[in-house]
Amino acid sequence: MKRSEKSKYSNFLMAGGVFALGLFMFSAPMSAYAKEYNIADGSIYIDAKNGAQTISQDYKADNALDDDIIITGTSKDYGVVIESGDGQTAKVTLKDVDINTYQNKVGVPAVRLIGTGNVTIFIDGKNTLKSDIGLAGIHDIVDGKLTITSKTEGYLKSSGGQNGAGIGGGNNQSSADIIIDGNVQIEAYGGVNSAGIGGGYQGAGSNITIGGDAKVKANGTSKSAGIGGGQAWAGSNITIEGNAQVIASSDNFGAGIGGGDGAEGSDITIKGSAIVEATSYSGAGIGGGRNGNGSGITIIDSAQVTATSFNKGAGIGGGLNGTGSDIIIGGNANVTASADPEGEDDKNGNMYGAGIGGANADGMRITIGGNSVVIAIGAKNAAAIGGGNEGNGTNITIGDNAIVTAQGDNYGAGIGGGRDASGSDITISGKALVKASTLKYGAGIGGGRNGDGINIKISENAKVYAAGGKGTGGNNGAAVGSGATDSSAGEEKVDISGLYTGGFIRKYKPGTKIEEMTDDNLLEDPTYGNLKDPDADDPKPDDPNPDDPKPVDPTPDPKPEVIDNGSNPATGQVQASDSKKSDDENVDKKQKSTSISKLTAGKKSITVTWKEQKAKGIKGYEIQIGTDKNFDNVIKRVTVNKTKTTTKTIKKLSPKKKYFVRIRTFKKKGSVKTYSKWSKVKNVKVK
């Protein structure tokens, strides 16, 4: 560092009352060695340049060579500066550190990163960082990459002061090239107007990667994303991969993952075996902040994602007034995307967001394929998949072996357009299984209320269950086609010229919810295709549902279960059900099971209590809720990833209805689960 650059930080280095600059300039280096440095003894400056790493701490160390620096201790007066030069990587371990400069030392961050090289911070033990106003907890203004990892296991809670990110930029500062991996647990909390991980106030967050076995909880406050942009700035090139577990949230207007208020969220990828929950109010769960578009969002491999906007935004796509576009879900991904799942918009009269797509804007170029399982729930006036309120849903493709449940509310389509908007260029093909419904006026697949359904094709071996919305005076929305108006019913419009004999469309009475799609509610006989599948034999004519898997739960619990790791809770999640698996697959009859102790009926809910199973290797429990004792119609599957948990409340059930419940244990090796036999079935009637 040049003398002029050092003087820039002289106040920081003099925090302990010692003028350290002269020591840096004139002291001879010592031989390299590993040593612990206690932050209570004074401010620490680390410099990696010319192939060597040195440390200085008041009179305790003086330009000492040390390539294995360990910082410990507690301080409210001192912080750490890490500088790295071109092509260099500074490496520092934080071990049981507690640094809190908030309102103690003006302008002093707990950890400041500067220079043009890279910095790697190893987390060991339990660490807490809290910076002063305008600064990030780990204040990242280095030009290179910041990597946070752990050699064994470590926990870090990092909080920014007002206008500072938990990890990333400070006031008016962007942050880029952040990598979190290894077996590290991190909680990152942005100060007011700042992201948990990413940009500070009016700063962007980009090139952020979370992978390995990292467990991350990130919260953005007041118009900022949990992971991504600070207030008014974008979040882009964000990747969550490996076995990472992430909970990302925005208190208001920013996306859970993506853009801050008024900014877009783009090029967001979730892959591998990552488990992600992202929530927002008015921003998208994943995508744009309020008034921001969400684009280039990809969820693939075996990723499990729950994305929710509780007020006005889309679950995945645009924030309020933002479009949702170029969204891809594939592989074996399991995705639940909800807009207003608890009805808050309905109460407030503000209903805009699609489950996947736009929010008060268009949803376009949405592709769902592979073996993915997708549940989408739209707010009133919006489609479940497609356009938000007054937003068109266009270029929506569902294919391969995808299983899709799309539940619209009122006026928007299940798949297609929002209120007063069209659904166009919608294609369902392959062996996809799709259930789409809306409650009032809109089409099950096609246009919203007053909206047309244009160029809708169902082909090959696709199986489609659809119900339009119920209107007044018999003016109902089409099952597949256009939405209704106050004076006319929606027109059924669908091209099935490419539908094989193994594919079909089953249309249900207007207003039929997905969980009510039974033969009793069929509107007409199923429509089968006329073409022979060149690659398969025709199904038997008397089999209306060939190879039809068990239905997907349309209303999963929106909150994940947190894995208990003692004093440092990591993130976790109740896993979404894998509807493709047979209940008899991977069953070991010798594996220890459990039994239901009690069922307690609540208002639209059941509380299940069972006996803890302590046998070696048991990792958790799977609960099934069905409408019959043979479980031919399973409407909910819940996985509990914690053996000590012995109670679970299943919500959003139909009132005054009897449900049957059973439970089993599971072991897990890699990605493969082995199940015990089911417990005895018990039943209860919901209040």
Side-chain angles (χ1 to χ4, degrees):
M1 180 187 275
K2 296 179 181 177
R3 186 182 185 96
S4 60
E5 291 173 328
K6 284 192 176 176
S7 64
K8 204 168 161 184
Y9 298 102
S10 60
N11 290 335
F12 175 76
L13 296 166
M14 292 170 60
V18 178
F19 188 74
L21 181 57
L23 298 177
F24 295 155
M25 296 294 291
F26 302 114
S27 297
M30 299 168 61
S31 59
Y33 65 100
K35 182 180 177 181
E36 292 189 359
Y37 302 85
N38 194 321
I39 190 64
D41 294 334
S43 300
I44 293 173
Y45 169 73
I46 297 161
D47 188 10
K49 63 183 178 183
N50 300 324
Q53 178 170 280
T54 61
I55 181 168
S56 297
Q57 184 182 31
D58 294 345
Y59 292 118
K60 310 296 180 184
D62 179 11
N63 268 359
L65 285 170
D66 195 339
D67 58 4
D68 191 12
I69 295 170
I70 300 173
I71 299 174
T72 66
T74 300
S75 179
K76 292 185 178 180
D77 297 313
Y78 308 112
V80 179
V81 171
I82 305 172
E83 181 174 10
S84 57
D86 283 341
Q88 305 295 304
T89 299
K91 296 180 180 180
V92 179
T93 297
L94 300 182
K95 181 180 179 182
D96 297 320
V97 165
D98 186 354
I99 303 175
N100 184 353
T101 62
Y102 181 68
Q103 295 185 339
N104 294 307
K105 288 293 179 181
V106 176
V108 177
V111 176
R112 185 197 300 268
L113 313 180
I114 59 175
T116 57
N118 305 316
V119 175
T120 297
I121 298 176
F122 298 98
I123 305 300
D124 187 4
K126 182 178 180 180
N127 299 269
T128 303
L129 304 174
K130 172 73 174 177
S131 290
D132 194 35
I133 294 172
L135 302 166
I138 295 181
H139 194 71
D140 175 24
I141 52 175
V142 69
D143 289 342
K145 293 180 180 179
L146 164 63
T147 300
I148 303 174
T149 186
S150 179
K151 294 177 181 178
T152 54
E153 293 184 2
Y155 168 82
L156 169 66
K157 179 179 179 181
S158 185
S159 304
Q162 182 175 339
N163 297 341
I167 298 171
N171 188 30
N172 292 308
Q173 290 177 332
S174 298
S175 184
D177 300 316
I178 298 173
I179 300 170
I180 300 172
D181 65 13
N183 192 12
V184 65
Q185 301 179 37
I186 290 180
E187 295 186 37
Y189 298 96
V192 176
N193 305 317
S194 304
I197 300 173
Y201 171 62
Q202 294 191 345
S206 61
N207 298 333
I208 300 168
T209 300
I210 302 173
D213 294 312
K215 299 176 177 65
V216 175
K217 181 177 182 180
N219 177 248
T221 57
S222 185
K223 304 181 180 180
S224 298
I227 299 174
Q231 181 180 341
W233 283 74
S236 61
N237 294 312
I238 299 168
T239 300
I240 302 173
E241 60 188 7
N243 296 308
Q245 298 182 37
V246 175
I247 292 179
S249 59
S250 172
D251 287 350
N252 210 2
F253 303 133
I257 300 173
D261 183 26
E264 69 176 359
S266 62
D267 299 320
I268 300 167
T269 300
I270 303 173
K271 60 184 180 178
S273 297
I275 299 174
V276 175
E277 181 197 356
T279 59
S280 175
Y281 291 79
S282 293
I286 299 174
R290 182 180 65 170
N291 299 316
N293 301 327
S295 64
I297 301 167
T298 301
I299 304 171
I300 55 174
D301 298 335
S302 297
Q304 296 185 39
V305 175
T306 302
T308 307
S309 179
F310 287 100
N311 187 16
K312 305 177 185 177
I316 298 174
L320 173 62
N321 300 322
T323 61
S325 64
D326 301 300
I327 299 168
I328 297 173
I329 301 173
N332 294 301
N334 203 315
V335 176
T336 299
S338 308
D340 187 35
E342 296 181 351
E344 290 301 314
D345 284 355
D346 198 354
K347 296 175 185 176
N348 299 327
N350 301 315
M351 297 75 73
Y352 302 112
I356 301 173
N360 213 35
D362 295 345
M364 49 197 161
R365 297 186 299 280
I366 300 168
T367 301
I368 302 173
N371 295 308
S372 60
V373 177
V374 175
I375 301 168
I377 302 171
K380 187 182 289 187
N381 293 334
I385 300 174
N389 178 51
E390 298 183 350
N392 299 318
T394 62
N395 291 304
I396 300 170
T397 301
I398 302 172
D400 298 329
N401 295 296
I403 298 177
V404 176
T405 300
Q407 181 63 68
D409 197 322
N410 296 338
Y411 310 119
I415 299 173
R419 179 172 182 163
D420 298 329
S422 66
S424 62
D425 299 317
I426 301 170
T427 300
I428 303 172
S429 62
K431 294 183 178 180
L433 186 147
V434 175
K435 296 187 176 184
S437 163
T438 191
L439 303 183
K440 292 184 179 179
Y441 288 100
I445 301 172
R449 179 179 179 177
N450 299 322
D452 200 0
I454 305 167
N455 193 25
I456 303 171
K457 295 180 180 180
I458 300 174
S459 64
E460 299 179 340
N461 287 304
K463 301 174 179 64
V464 174
Y465 304 71
K470 191 172 184 178
T472 57
N475 295 322
N476 305 314
V480 183
S482 59
T485 69
D486 287 334
S487 59
S488 62
E491 180 184 358
E492 298 287 339
K493 298 196 301 182
V494 59
D495 179 358
I496 60 170
S497 61
L499 188 63
Y500 297 157
T501 54
F504 59 79
I505 302 174
R506 294 168 66 89
K507 299 177 181 179
Y508 293 85
K509 296 175 183 177
T512 299
K513 296 180 180 179
I514 287 172
E515 63 265 33
E516 299 170 346
M517 287 181 170
T518 63
D519 287 347
D520 292 339
N521 287 322
L522 272 172
L523 184 65
E524 58 187 50
D525 290 336
T527 301
Y528 293 91
N530 294 317
L531 297 181
K532 179 178 174 60
D533 182 353
D535 298 321
D537 294 331
D538 291 336
K540 296 178 180 179
D542 59 348
D543 181 6
N545 296 304
D547 302 320
D548 181 15
K550 294 188 181 302
V552 178
D553 172 14
T555 54
D557 288 341
K559 300 292 184 182
E561 181 172 359
V562 174
I563 298 172
D564 186 1
N565 281 323
S567 61
N568 302 326
T571 64
Q573 182 169 4
V574 172
Q575 297 177 354
S577 62
D578 184 351
S579 297
K580 298 184 185 65
K581 290 186 177 180
S582 166
D583 292 333
D584 296 326
E585 187 177 359
N586 295 333
V587 172
D588 180 358
K589 294 182 179 180
K590 294 181 180 180
Q591 182 172 308
K592 293 290 186 180
S593 185
T594 185
S595 60
I596 297 172
S597 304
K598 183 171 65 173
L599 294 180
T600 304
K603 186 176 181 181
K604 297 184 180 180
S605 68
I606 297 172
T607 298
V608 185
T609 304
W610 61 90
K611 294 181 179 179
E612 180 182 352
Q613 179 51 259
K614 300 180 180 179
K616 184 178 179 180
I618 302 299
K619 297 298 184 182
Y621 312 93
E622 181 184 64
I623 303 168
Q624 279 192 359
I625 309 291
T627 56
D628 63 280
K629 65 181 180 180
N630 295 321
F631 290 86
D632 292 328
N633 185 26
V634 176
I635 56 99
K636 283 186 180 286
R637 299 170 184 255
V638 176
T639 300
V640 179
N641 292 314
K642 187 176 173 186
T643 56
K644 291 185 178 180
T645 299
T646 57
T647 185
K648 181 69 180 176
T649 299
I650 314 298
K651 302 177 181 179
K652 295 189 177 180
L653 300 172
S654 298
K656 310 298 182 182
K657 188 170 184 177
K658 180 188 286 188
Y659 289 96
F660 296 82
V661 184
R662 61 183 180 179
I663 189 171
R664 61 182 176 179
T665 65
F666 69 84
K667 295 180 179 180
K668 189 174 182 181
K669 186 174 182 180
S671 60
V672 178
K673 287 183 178 179
T674 302
Y675 298 92
S676 71
K677 63 182 181 180
W678 288 107
S679 67
K680 290 184 178 180
V681 177
K682 292 194 174 185
N683 65 81
V684 67
K685 188 175 182 180
V686 172
K687 295 180 181 179

